[in-house]
Amino acid sequence: GAGVSQSPSNKVTEKGKDVELRCDPISGHTALYWYRQSLGQGLEFLIYFQGNSAPDKSGLPSDRFSAERTGGSVSTLTIQRTQQEDSAVYLCASSFTSRTGELFFGEGSRLTVL
Amino acid sequence: AQSVTQLDSHVSVSEGTPVLLRCNYSSSYSPSLFWYVQHPNKGLQLLLKYTSAATLVKGINGFEAEFKKSETSFHLTKPSAHMSDAAEYFCVVSPNQGGKLIFGQGTELSVKP
């Protein structure tokens, strides 16, 4: 498809398990962002990738969170030893470059930690 | 450091009346500013953006915003609300050099018939 694709759309897991969330950005977009949206909250920045530059990881809430972007395209956000407070919608967005600020968002992955 | 404050968490208007969603920003240098909209169960969509050109910016669906440096504001307006405008609206700031976008907490707009 032409848009940002995220999978899974919904994930229910048990506390302590690891989860992986996948993002497939728009072809040709060099910038990729991960945000987290909790119920009733705004968007919390997690991490962003721009081309081959070192990612900006300043928003990752703990060392249980990590992300990688392989081949400048698909990205995976990994949460290890999930906690209940990790429950949220994880949004991925891509942009032609990080300079434009025009992000195209996916529909998100809703994570529920029991 | 940059930040953005949306002054109202919820705004309710009647259909056909004006909409005003307020946003103030803080930035140590000239920022880019945006408004994004999130309709229920849908992804976020860019509504409009300011990038140091004209201070009055027009967006989609009849929305516009005015950049006022002296007031550090970027309020979103629409002359006449439509039922389909009911959504969550986010004010966003970004450094002109690019990088992460900082989102406000959002303003939920309700439109009454």
Side-chain angles (χ1 to χ4, degrees), chain A residues 33 35 37 40-45 48 56 58-59 89 91 98-108 110, chain B residues 32 34 36 38 41-46 49 51 88 90 94-106:
Chain A
Y33 304 74
Y35 285 84
Q37 186 174 28
Q41 301 293 313
L43 273 70
E44 177 188 5
F45 168 78
Y48 104 95
D56 179 348
S58 61
V89 177
L91 293 167
S98 66
R99 290 180 176 274
T100 69
E102 182 171 1
L103 273 57
F104 294 83
F105 281 84
E107 303 232 340
R110 181 177 298 277
Chain B
S32 293
F34 311 81
Y36 277 79
Q38 185 177 34
N41 300 316
K42 292 192 176 179
L44 283 119
Q45 180 185 18
L46 179 67
K49 66 178 180 180
T51 54
E88 186 93 18
F90 294 94
S94 170
N96 262 328
Q97 295 80 3
K100 66 187 181 187
L101 274 66
I102 307 300
F103 282 72
Q105 292 298 300

